[in-house]
Amino acid sequence: MKNASLADFASALASGAVKIVDLTFTLSPEFPMIVLPPEFGQAMPMRIQQISRYNDAGPGWYWNNITLCEHTGTHFDAPIHWYTGKDLPNNALDALPAADMIAPVCVIDCSAEAAADDDFLLTVPAVEAWEARHGRIPERNWVLLRTDWSKKDMRAYANLKDDGAHTPGPDAEVMRWLVHERGIIGFGTETIGTDAGQGVHLDPPMPAHHFLHGGGRYGLQCLCNLDQLPPTGAMLVTAPLKIENGSGSPLRVLALVANGA
């Protein structure tokens, strides 16, 4: 890219011709965490411990210690997170290519379907219908599933019932197809996980994790403001913390959108 192109991009940002949409929830101790069956290890909620705030412990500065699971709030899943990706090369956060952290994005709007059915599953025919309107999903694009789930009150966000969570997500065949037939770089959702709340009952169980990470691809979850993105044409910035051998990380997900798109 020529210097003039970078300068034009900077000018477009400064003028508002390209706007930045924040797709990130505020990270706080109150944000809902995924809950696994009791026989498994559990992710701990975020904790914030104040070190000092312009007081005797530090008269001129304010700072905190934080403790949190890698998979807290709006977060990124690396291939090493799932057993299908555990033996891949460069599968942890500190080994991921920086070039993968800026990529185009396709947004599939299933908000009406999710409003009618908490257990809505995205299918290949639904994506093919989307492609008939917007064009084939290009390789190395993110695919984000818009359900408007992020607009729910936090008390209803996890939607836990006696048999587990009931939240929308992809079915098994669409995840295999997106990874192997469309070559996506990753898949993202507005819910706590990339899989449906009842995804453990699909074949294979938790197919988004299974196919994404087995294929060396990435996951994003707990996204918001997807209703502000066009179906195609935006760019996603997804740089997780560079944690040694990390399986995931909270991050600030930003979308670059041409104003008027």
Side-chain angles (χ1 to χ4, degrees):
M1 179 182 286
K2 296 180 179 179
N3 288 340
S5 298
L6 287 174
D8 289 344
F9 175 65
S11 177
L13 284 173
S15 69
V18 171
K19 64 180 179 179
I20 300 176
V21 180
D22 191 350
L23 307 183
T24 318
F25 274 106
T26 297
L27 190 57
S28 73
E30 290 73 38
F31 195 86
M33 297 293 298
I34 192 168
V35 177
L36 300 179
E39 63 268 26
F40 297 122
Q42 303 296 320
M44 66 182 298
M46 180 188 187
R47 293 187 299 172
I48 302 176
Q49 179 188 34
Q50 182 176 295
I51 303 171
S52 67
R53 189 162 186 163
Y54 328 117
N55 51 23
D56 290 344
W61 52 93
Y62 164 57
W63 56 344
N64 300 304
N65 286 321
I66 61 172
T67 306
L68 72 168
C69 171
E70 293 172 315
H71 300 265
T72 302
T74 301
H75 66 277
F76 182 103
D77 288 349
I80 199 174
H81 176 48
W82 207 248
Y83 76 98
T84 52
K86 68 183 179 66
D87 296 322
L88 296 178
N90 303 318
N91 59 356
L93 292 180
D94 54 332
L96 301 183
D100 284 357
M101 297 173 191
I102 302 177
V105 58
C106 299
V107 181
I108 300 176
D109 182 2
C110 296
S111 55
E113 293 87 343
D117 180 6
D118 290 349
D119 294 313
F120 165 77
L121 294 177
L122 180 69
T123 64
V124 172
V127 181
E128 290 177 328
W130 181 94
E131 289 187 324
R133 297 189 300 273
H134 304 291
R136 181 185 171 101
I137 296 170
E139 289 188 8
R140 308 301 288 176
N141 270 233
W142 281 96
V143 169
L144 304 185
L145 174 59
R146 177 189 161 191
T147 58
D148 288 349
W149 201 263
S150 60
K151 297 181 180 182
K152 289 184 175 290
D153 183 282
M154 284 296 100
R155 291 170 296 183
Y157 184 69
N159 203 26
L160 288 172
K161 299 181 181 179
D162 290 344
D163 58 348
H166 288 264
T167 55
D171 76 4
E173 177 56 21
V174 80
M175 288 313 308
R176 186 205 64 77
W177 184 82
L178 286 170
V179 170
H180 296 293
E181 302 298 327
R182 292 297 181 263
I184 63 171
I185 195 170
F187 182 79
T189 65
E190 296 181 68
T191 53
I192 288 179
T194 49
D195 276 293
Q198 293 290 297
V200 69
H201 301 297
L202 299 177
D203 183 18
M206 310 300 278
H209 286 74
H210 183 97
F211 289 111
L212 284 172
H213 305 319
R217 316 304 165 85
Y218 313 131
L220 290 171
Q221 44 267 299
C222 303
L223 298 170
C224 60
N225 296 327
L226 296 191
D227 57 337
Q228 298 182 34
L229 303 187
T232 64
M235 295 289 290
L236 216 57
V237 181
T238 58
L241 295 174
K242 197 173 181 179
I243 301 170
E244 183 177 10
N245 208 39
S247 73
S249 166
L251 75 170
R252 193 154 191 171
V253 181
L254 302 177
L256 307 179
V257 183
N259 221 337

